[in-house]
Amino acid sequence: TYPLFFQDHGGLFGLCTGRPLFGFGNDLDHGPELDFIVASSGAVVAEKKEDTFVPVFESVLTTKQIVMLDETFGKESIFYIHADGHIFTLYEHRPQYPQQTVLPSIDALNGRHITCVSVWTPSNRTASLIAARINAMYGKEMAGYQNTQWIDVVHAGVSKGTGALHAKQLLHGDVIAGIGDSFNDIPLLEAADI
């Protein structure tokens, strides 16, 4: 009821997530009505128009960057690639994620808007180590944010915080309030006004 009260008084209510724009399935059916979504850990800002969300900002990774990540970390992790608002994986379908599309090769990503790679690792410690290595090796072009045993990799300079600031500017907001539950939310909390 609080989001509805907030919206009834002129506020916009949105979601800031590490998931891709259309990666929710039915998860949003029972929650509050959203006015916008900051998706792919800040790489996409989408505004609600009628019954769908339309990107108003995107920051993209290149296929070459995905190849670099795969060559360096592919043997110790599993990649879920956010492209065109959906989720893709390479080589095999994982039944716990029914919304994914399996690609036969990285070349199948050519021409797509790649906004993020969610990297699954077997433990929080492994995720922490790989995120640190990504930032040390590729920090000028990519940023890795740990989310428990996951890492969200986006273009350098992109985070949930920058995504929230883009949303504030593009949707003409006055104040951002943020909440979070993991390490990748720290930039959002730092960017929020309250």
Side-chain angles (χ1 to χ4, degrees), residues 2-186:
Y2 290 115
L4 186 57
F5 176 83
F6 182 71
Q7 290 167 314
D8 286 346
H9 289 84
L12 297 177
F13 186 75
L15 174 66
C16 191
T17 180
R19 292 187 193 187
L21 183 58
F22 302 114
F24 298 98
N26 297 330
D27 290 350
L28 298 179
D29 290 350
H30 304 290
E33 190 76 23
L34 298 175
D35 298 302
F36 67 94
I37 296 176
V38 176
S40 296
S41 284
V44 177
V45 176
E47 180 179 16
K48 185 154 190 185
K49 301 227 174 165
E50 296 179 21
D51 289 334
T52 192
F53 288 94
V54 178
V56 293
F57 169 82
E58 278 188 325
S59 176
V60 296
L61 296 167
T62 65
T63 304
K64 180 181 172 187
Q65 290 170 312
I66 305 306
V67 169
M68 289 188 317
L69 290 171
D70 187 48
E71 288 174 351
T72 308
F73 304 105
K75 290 183 177 36
E76 25 182 341
S77 56
I78 300 171
F79 289 9
Y80 294 89
I81 301 158
H82 306 203
D84 301 330
H86 299 281
I87 195 145
F88 299 86
T89 191
L90 299 171
Y91 319 121
E92 67 180 274
H93 185 271
R94 293 172 185 86
Q96 66 271 37
Y97 301 107
Q99 299 153 344
Q100 68 189 306
T101 300
V102 179
L103 299 176
S105 72
I106 289 177
D107 291 337
L109 292 167
N110 288 334
R112 296 187 182 273
H113 292 221
I114 305 165
T115 53
C116 181
V117 178
S118 291
V119 181
W120 179 88
T121 70
S123 69
N124 291 353
R125 178 166 166 63
T126 302
S128 176
L129 294 171
I130 290 177
R133 287 173 52 206
I134 289 169
N135 290 324
M137 294 171 69
Y138 305 118
K140 291 185 179 180
E141 50 185 305
M142 292 182 275
Y145 297 97
Q146 183 183 358
N147 177 10
T148 62
Q149 69 190 59
W150 292 83
I151 306 155
D152 293 331
V153 182
V154 292
H155 196 277
V158 171
S159 69
K160 286 185 177 183
T162 61
L165 292 173
H166 283 298
K168 180 180 179 180
Q169 177 190 17
L170 295 167
L171 303 174
H172 310 290
D174 295 322
V175 176
I176 297 173
I179 58 171
D181 63 358
S182 193
F183 302 113
N184 64 344
D185 294 312
I186 292 171

